[in-house]
Amino acid sequence: MAVQPVGPRGQFPSAAGIFFGLGLGGFFDGIVLHQILQWHHMVTSAGYPPDTVANLEFNTLLDGLFHGATYIFVVIGLILLWRAAHRAHIWWSGKMLIGTILMGFGLFNVVEGIIDHHILELHHVNETVPPEQWIYWDVGFLVWGALMLGGGWLLHRSGKHATREASTGLRRVH
């Protein structure tokens, strides 16, 4: 099978993957940590602990708005990917998509962790443990995000190299 050319119009839409990753990171946080494990909600450390129905309703509303924002990130990622895919028939390494998704997921963890857990202290990763242990969970969340961000960047870079090889005919695509 012939190798597909990759030119300026055929650049991989990295922003699409990053937006997908931001959305998936937010969905993971909201679904797994907020709903399934119930470790925290949006403002449980900011004066609205889930100890009354009113506080739980307020946190649930904010959790829903948070999910709405993460949904928008996924839609933006889909639109960017769709637009790029319709420009030209090209070949991209799957590593580029997975790498950029990991970058976005990691970016979500780092930014959300720094802002919500450390600066604003709206909530902490695991509020079911004693408060003196919250810092370990919060730092672990940041480390996990940084590892995904770095690993995603390496994977994306590897995918760019594979795409470049394919476009110059150094490697055949099957």
Side-chain angles (χ1 to χ4, degrees), residues 4 14 25 29 32-33 39 44 51 53 81 94-95 104 115-116 123 127 129-130 139 172-173:
Q4 300 295 327
S14 298
D29 185 290
V32 175
L33 302 182
W39 283 0
T44 48
D51 56 3
V53 172
L81 186 61
K95 292 178 182 179
I115 293 172
D116 290 349
H123 61 261
E127 295 179 354
V129 298
V139 169
R172 293 223 159 255
V173 179

Side-chain angles (χ1 to χ4, degrees), residues 6 18 27 29 45 48 53 65 85 101 107 116 119 125 144 149 154 159 161 167:
V6 178
I18 290 171
F27 282 139
D29 185 290
S45 290
Y48 299 94
V53 172
L65 293 172
I101 288 173
L107 184 63
D116 290 349
I119 295 174
V125 173
W144 176 34
L149 189 55
L154 290 172
H161 179 70
S167 70

Side-chain angles (χ1 to χ4, degrees), residues 1-4 89 91-94 162 166 169-174:
M1 176 181 260
V3 175
Q4 300 295 327
H89 185 71
W91 179 79
W92 298 318
S93 168
L170 297 175
R171 191 173 78 128
R172 293 223 159 255
V173 179
H174 294 81

Side-chain angles (χ1 to χ4, degrees), residues 18 22 102-113 145-146 148-149:
I18 290 171
L22 285 167
L102 284 172
M103 289 167 61
F105 199 130
L107 184 63
F108 168 83
N109 278 17
V110 170
V111 171
E112 195 267 343
M148 282 193 292
L149 189 55

Side-chain angles (χ1 to χ4, degrees), residues 87-156:
R87 283 190 219 141
H89 185 71
I90 55 175
W91 179 79
W92 298 318
S93 168
K95 292 178 182 179
M96 295 172 78
L97 180 60
I98 294 169
T100 54
I101 288 173
L102 284 172
M103 289 167 61
F105 199 130
L107 184 63
F108 168 83
N109 278 17
V110 170
V111 171
E112 195 267 343
I114 289 171
I115 293 172
D116 290 349
H117 305 163
H118 296 281
I119 295 174
L120 300 177
E121 294 189 34
L122 296 178
H123 61 261
H124 298 277
V125 173
N126 187 352
E127 295 179 354
T128 66
V129 298
E132 59 272 5
Q133 294 177 13
W134 291 356
I135 188 68
Y136 302 117
W137 289 91
D138 292 347
V139 169
F141 190 79
L142 291 175
V143 169
W144 176 34
L147 289 172
M148 282 193 292
L149 189 55
W153 180 79
L154 290 172
L155 196 57
H156 178 262

Side-chain angles (χ1 to χ4, degrees), residues 10 34 43 47 62 66 69 76 82-83 88 112 116 126 130 134 137 163 168 174:
H34 293 211
V43 290
L62 294 179
F66 171 74
I76 290 170
W82 185 262
R83 288 181 62 196
E112 195 267 343
D116 290 349
N126 187 352
W134 291 356
W137 289 91
T163 299
T168 59
H174 294 81

